[in-house]
Every structure is written in C-alpha cells, then in structure tokens.
Amino acid sequence: MQTKSILGEQEIQAMLQAATAKAHENNWQVAVAIVDDGGHLLGFSRLDGCAPVAAHIALEKAKSAALGRRETKGYEDMINGGRTAFVSAPLQGLLEGGVPVVVDGQVIGAVGVSGLAKELDAEVAKVAVAAIG
C-alpha cells in the first residue's frame, strides 16, 4: 500500500494567505483556487475588484494542473507552438497560472490564479505553493 501527503486546512489557509498577501502588496485583483489531486476545490478567494470570470478560470487552471500533474504553462506553450489539437483535451484551464503542489515527488493538489497577465498569475500561484515549503 502506498501513502501520500494531503493538503489539510492549515496548508490551504497558508497558501491562500500567501497568495492574497502577494496580491495586496501589489494592488492586484486576483482569484485564487486550491484543489486536491483530483481537482476538487479545497479553498478559494476572489479579491475585491477581480472580474467574476477570473473565479471560473482560476479553478479550471488549478484542476488542469492537478489532473495533468504539471504547470498549465506547458499546455499553453504546446498550443501556441502549433499543437492546436490539444485544445480538444478534456481540460479547460490550459492557460498559464496553474501550478501543482508536489510533496515527496507526488502531486497532492494545485493552485490556480487568474486576473492578471499570465506570468503574474503564475507568480502568485508559485508564492502560494512556496508557503507550505
């Protein structure tokens, strides 16, 4: 039998706090979604002034990073590089800004951020992941 770490309430709150602190520090309006390894929502925050659609996009980025076990930037790069057939994959968050949470070599969840330029979305997501080590 294999065992793995899971994201608990303490880790989820630490990630949300780190991401929202980074956003507040820069006056960025973002939505942040945290999911488990199956893409199920564990934590969420949409800051004041953030567009409602960003909530949907952040969750889809998180789901895609968790289920695909990779940063969503990889999907966006594949599509932009000419592998356009990949848009028919059964994932919706194929834009940069989804980052998996990896512990002991296993993906245990992911963070998705939306509301900014794609590189900044990814930066906020990585700050969230770094908050738990």
Side-chain angles (χ1 to χ4, degrees), residues 30-87:
V30 296
V32 180
I34 300 171
V35 299
D36 66 13
D37 61 338
H40 305 283
L41 185 63
L42 297 173
F44 179 80
S45 180
R46 188 179 87 180
L47 301 185
D48 292 344
C50 181
V53 72
H56 176 76
I57 295 169
L59 178 57
E60 292 303 324
K61 287 180 180 183
K63 285 181 185 179
S64 293
L67 295 173
R69 306 207 182 308
R70 63 164 58 190
E71 286 192 39
T72 54
K73 179 184 186 328
Y75 298 122
E76 185 173 4
D77 289 347
M78 276 193 284
I79 294 164
N80 289 340
R83 195 169 172 201
T84 56
F86 204 80
V87 298

Side-chain angles (χ1 to χ4, degrees), residues 3-7 100-109 132-133:
T3 60
K4 69 175 182 178
S5 299
I6 61 168
L7 293 170
V101 178
V102 181
V103 174
D104 297 328
Q106 294 184 19
V107 173
I108 64 166
I132 61 167

